[in-house]
Amino acid sequence: MSEQNRRLVLAQRPTGMVDDTIVRLETEDAPEAKTGQAVVRVTHLSIDPTIRTWMDDAPGYLPPIEIGAVVRSGGLGTVVSSQNDDFPVGATVFGMLGWQDYALLDGTPGEGQVVPDGMDPTAVLSVFGVTGMTAYFGLLDIGEPKEGATVVVSGAAGATGSVVGQIAKIKGAANVVGIAGSDEKCAWLVDELGFDAAINYKTENVAKRLHELCPEGIDIYFDNVGGEILDAALGQLAMKGRVVCCGAISAYNDREASPGLQNYFTLITKRARMEGFLILDYVDRFGEAQGELFGWVLEGKLKHAVHVVEGLEHAPDGLNLLFTGGNTGKVIVEL
Ligand code: NAP
């Protein structure tokens, strides 16, 4: 009997959290590699908030996941059979492998990237992967930090935010403030990662605390969450401040239109700038970031945390953690 491929397919579009009515487990024969193809045994999945946005039938930077299709997801795996010289048997490959045991690479350019031997898979999917790239280019290219800057980051104990704050310190920021959803996360940011201060947005008045902690104003606000926290940060911007629009996770699960920003006019009075970016546009420059991030990790200047969820069938739980705040650092599913 051939190997079986368990796959999680989108059964219907969610209106909130993802459960087994939204994502259905199916089993089929594992694919076989034909000319030009390779089969990858998936070992790790990268769980990213954007997966939730791909489940909606809404225009985005990638098409929605079709009903009945495997949930799209970055992942890492080992080539187990191949008729493609770019993906030899035994190689570790990163690509959009999906929530399944076996993925078929069909030879489309850019669909997979061979990872050097000996790399820690969880680091490949976090600090040296898309997460680290997002933190690096979002902060440095869009935020343009200067020595002595005041930098505020939301979603600060998450995968991206925790790296952003540390890079800001490495680059000479004088005051780095994280915003996160629990006292434990806030303590971790300050005690372990070297943030100067942290705000628990669930128990504190964010606008008031930003005013106290950033008396000269915020030079860079790295926004992972949008909504009321973005509004509070806008209200405290420094002259020529920059808002890096990375994500808006507070809205991804929300069917209701959120109220408009009250402090939008600060962009005018402070001659400030708000700019979005997509990390897909930086793929050609990943090597540049990886080199620097690798050095910082080796020197012990940059730490990264991983929240591992065991088992393909628990991938939806992993995704939900991002919305309940149950994770500290990068969520990865180990198969
Ligand atoms: P993450 O930060 O590891 O996880 C999401 C975190 O967001 C949770 O841990 C939770 O922490 C917080 N959160 C959830 N709902 C919230 C709410 N309503 N208000 C405030 N905080 C909330 O996820 P990630 O992968 O690093 O992604 C972070 C952001 O970057 C996301 O918005 C994502 O879409 C974006 N992103 C953008 C790009 C790009 O190219 N622009 C690339 C990758 C990621 P708390 O406990 O603090 O609530």
Side-chain angles (χ1 to χ4, degrees), residues 7-332:
R7 51 206 298 270
L8 288 166
V9 303
L10 187 64
Q12 60 172 321
R13 303 215 178 270
T15 54
M17 295 291 188
V18 172
D19 59 21
D20 57 11
T21 66
I22 305 297
V23 168
R24 186 176 61 230
L25 185 65
E26 291 183 348
T27 303
E28 59 175 24
D29 288 345
E32 286 176 17
K34 301 194 177 67
T35 307
Q37 297 180 330
V39 175
V40 177
R41 176 72 172 90
V42 182
T43 56
H44 299 81
L45 292 168
S46 171
I47 303 298
D48 299 291
T50 194
I51 295 172
R52 175 62 188 79
T53 69
W54 296 334
M55 291 179 175
D56 289 331
D57 188 14
Y61 65 99
L62 288 180
I65 300 168
E66 286 178 26
I67 300 296
V70 172
V71 176
R72 184 189 298 135
S73 172
L76 209 58
T78 308
V79 179
V80 290
S81 68
S82 179
Q83 296 202 35
N84 183 326
D85 293 343
D86 291 338
F87 303 115
V89 170
T92 302
V93 171
F94 172 79
M96 279 294 170
L97 304 181
W99 286 5
Q100 57 187 342
D101 288 321
Y102 291 93
L104 184 69
L105 303 180
D106 61 11
T108 309
E111 68 186 330
Q113 191 190 340
V114 173
V115 174
D117 286 340
M119 297 279 290
D120 169 7
T122 62
V124 171
L125 291 184
S126 57
V127 65
F128 303 137
V130 170
T131 296
M133 302 300 105
T134 302
Y136 183 95
F137 288 111
L139 180 68
L140 301 185
D141 255 48
I142 311 294
E144 299 177 346
K146 311 239 176 353
E147 191 80 23
T150 290
V151 177
V152 174
V153 54
S154 55
T160 309
S162 58
V163 176
V164 168
Q166 294 180 84
I167 298 177
K169 287 305 288 183
I170 290 168
K171 291 289 181 181
N175 186 17
V176 174
V177 178
I179 304 174
S182 73
D183 289 344
E184 292 71 27
K185 288 185 179 187
C186 288
W188 179 67
L189 293 172
V190 174
D191 299 342
E192 300 290 328
L193 302 191
F195 283 51
D196 296 284
I199 301 169
N200 179 347
Y201 73 90
K202 290 187 177 164
T203 58
E204 299 185 84
N205 179 324
V206 176
K208 181 166 168 284
R209 292 292 287 140
L210 286 175
H211 186 69
E212 289 164 2
L213 292 168
C214 310
E216 309 295 325
I218 300 167
D219 296 305
I220 300 170
Y221 170 55
F222 192 105
D223 188 28
N224 284 314
V225 306
E228 289 173 12
I229 294 176
L230 165 62
D231 213 6
L234 280 174
Q236 193 58 26
L237 280 183
M239 193 64 77
K240 288 282 181 189
R242 278 90 65 202
V243 178
V244 181
C245 301
C246 176
I249 195 167
S250 69
Y252 300 168
N253 253 342
D254 197 352
R255 293 279 106 184
E256 306 292 320
S258 51
L261 297 169
Q262 305 301 306
N263 292 321
Y264 161 78
F265 59 83
T266 316
L267 291 170
I268 302 160
T269 55
K270 298 292 183 184
R271 289 78 150 175
R273 162 162 78 76
M274 208 168 158
E275 184 175 344
F277 74 102
L278 273 179
I279 198 58
L280 294 177
D281 298 338
Y282 286 88
V283 171
D284 292 348
R285 292 179 56 194
F286 276 12
E288 168 192 330
Q290 278 159 339
E292 205 160 19
L293 290 165
F294 200 68
W296 292 332
V297 170
L298 276 183
E299 291 166 39
K301 291 180 179 167
L302 179 59
K303 298 179 184 166
H304 67 282
V306 179
H307 186 121
V308 175
V309 174
E310 299 283 347
L312 174 68
E313 65 281 15
H314 294 302
D317 303 329
L319 184 62
N320 288 336
L321 285 176
L322 303 175
F323 295 90
T324 59
N327 66 309
T328 296
K330 176 76 190 179
V331 178
I332 288 173

